[in-house]
Amino acid sequence: MITIAYNNLEGLRNTAKSVLSQTYRDFEWIIVDGASNDGTQDYLLEIRQQWRGEPEYLQIISEPGAGIYNAMNKGIRLAQGEYCLFLNSGDYLYDENVLNKVYPPLCNFDIFYGNYYTSDGVLRSGTDMEEITTLYFVDYTIHHTGCAFIRRTLFDKFGLYDDGLKIVSDWKWFAQVVGFNNVSLGHIDVILSVYDNTGISSVLVELWTAERNKVKEELFPKRLIRDYERYYELVEEKLKSECRIRKSYSYRLGAFLLKPFRSFYANKKNIQ
């Protein structure tokens, strides 16, 4: 498990409370702090005292950093476990049994993800669609922090996060690794975490959009993008056409006249 932090003491307290309470103990925790000056340094000493796992399974570094993904890459380089789970300061595991729930099916997949709550109470899945294809990553991604367990060797094979990006490097990595390679994916219908959606990617919308457009042009051929856009244009046209039909007088009249027959056959089916 990798946690990055910078001047977010209260958020780190929430994260640490959830990690330290886990009933499953065979995991390492790497905390990468960007030399915080809000009291985090003292709290990191408290975490060392509260740690109940093997001493070598807790690593804490605090030094000036060069952004979110630079800190994540530091954590990946230090990681010795089979999987990486990013749980940044402010995010926290949903309950004390999360790691117990995911451990049995975990090792069957390269990337394994579940569900999560946002900090404003919205329940979300780790993805926005049931089927993940290459085109899925044009506009969507796999939720990153607190939700996706990533086999560590994937970073050895495909590289670390692009720390030249401030917000969307995890999306770029998933698009490259999952969208263009045959890595295995698994999903568990279990709530894994609560995600603090007040972070940088949630508030700097213009930067987020600019970086995504830049990466999209780099990764996806223009013809593929056009096919994707045209597909959704056709879907939208179909939905509008169906809406116009349903609003038409003849459709509404037909539905009214057929309503008794539908009720009759529904009742007959229930009786049978």
Side-chain angles (χ1 to χ4, degrees):
M1 193 175 314
I2 299 171
T3 296
I4 65 168
Y6 180 66
N7 284 345
N8 185 18
L9 177 58
E10 290 308 310
L12 182 59
R13 289 185 188 276
N14 291 334
T15 305
K17 182 179 178 181
S18 73
V19 173
L20 296 170
S21 68
Q22 289 301 299
T23 54
Y24 181 85
R25 301 301 305 170
D26 189 17
F27 68 94
E28 64 179 354
W29 189 20
I30 299 167
I31 304 174
V32 182
D33 174 58
S36 297
N37 55 17
D38 64 342
T40 292
Q41 302 296 320
D42 293 333
Y43 185 63
L44 292 176
L45 295 176
E46 292 183 32
I47 289 176
R48 287 192 184 278
Q49 295 171 353
Q50 296 176 49
W51 180 250
R52 294 188 292 117
E54 297 294 329
E56 64 269 25
Y57 287 1
L58 176 65
Q59 298 188 66
I60 299 175
I61 60 174
S62 184
E63 60 188 22
I68 295 172
Y69 296 108
N70 178 266
M72 288 182 175
N73 288 340
K74 289 179 182 179
I76 294 168
R77 292 188 185 99
L78 291 172
Q80 299 297 314
E82 188 172 358
Y83 287 85
C84 293
L85 172 68
F86 296 92
L87 191 75
N88 296 333
S89 61
D91 307 328
Y92 55 92
L93 299 173
Y94 186 66
D95 60 40
E96 68 273 13
N97 294 311
V98 165
L99 297 185
N100 264 327
K101 294 173 185 176
V102 302
Y103 179 73
L106 184 63
C107 297
N108 297 323
F109 302 97
D110 293 320
I111 297 174
F112 187 78
Y113 60 94
N115 308 327
Y116 66 98
Y117 273 107
T118 61
S119 55
D120 52 2
V122 179
L123 179 61
R124 299 289 303 274
S125 171
T127 63
D128 293 290
M129 295 183 182
E130 291 186 6
E131 184 179 9
I132 297 178
T133 65
T134 301
L135 284 176
Y136 170 85
F137 291 99
V138 173
D139 279 330
Y140 302 96
T141 190
I142 299 171
H143 186 73
H144 188 225
T145 58
C147 187
F149 291 79
I150 304 170
R151 195 181 294 275
R152 187 182 56 79
T153 53
L154 292 180
F155 294 105
D156 297 330
K157 184 176 181 179
F158 298 106
L160 302 175
Y161 294 118
D162 180 355
D163 58 14
L165 297 168
K166 296 184 180 299
I167 295 180
V168 304
S169 190
D170 52 303
W171 166 66
K172 178 182 179 180
W173 191 88
F174 278 129
Q176 290 176 305
V177 174
V178 180
F180 296 99
N181 295 278
N182 193 31
V183 301
S184 58
L185 297 172
H187 176 257
I188 183 172
D189 191 20
V190 169
I191 301 170
L192 301 183
S193 65
V194 177
Y195 167 64
D196 181 5
N197 60 344
T198 62
I200 183 173
S201 61
S202 302
V203 297
L204 298 182
V205 177
E206 290 185 3
L207 178 59
W208 177 84
T209 302
E211 286 195 345
R212 279 184 68 96
N213 289 338
K214 177 177 179 291
V215 172
K216 192 182 296 186
E217 291 179 1
E218 293 175 359
L219 293 185
F220 298 100
K222 290 183 178 180
R223 290 187 178 89
L224 189 67
I225 294 293
R226 183 55 191 147
D227 284 343
Y228 174 87
E229 292 172 344
R230 181 57 183 156
Y231 169 76
Y232 279 99
E233 287 172 3
L234 291 173
V235 170
E236 187 174 357
E237 290 174 5
K238 180 181 178 182
L239 291 174
K240 288 180 178 179
S241 176
E242 291 177 351
C243 185
R244 285 194 298 270
I245 292 172
R246 291 178 179 275
K247 288 181 178 179
S248 68
Y249 174 77
S250 57
Y251 179 90
R252 288 185 283 116
L253 177 61
F256 174 76
L257 294 175
L258 290 174
K259 185 175 181 180
F261 295 96
R262 285 200 299 267
S263 300
F264 171 76
Y265 284 109
N267 291 333
K268 182 177 179 181
K269 184 177 181 180
N270 291 332
I271 293 172
Q272 291 175 344

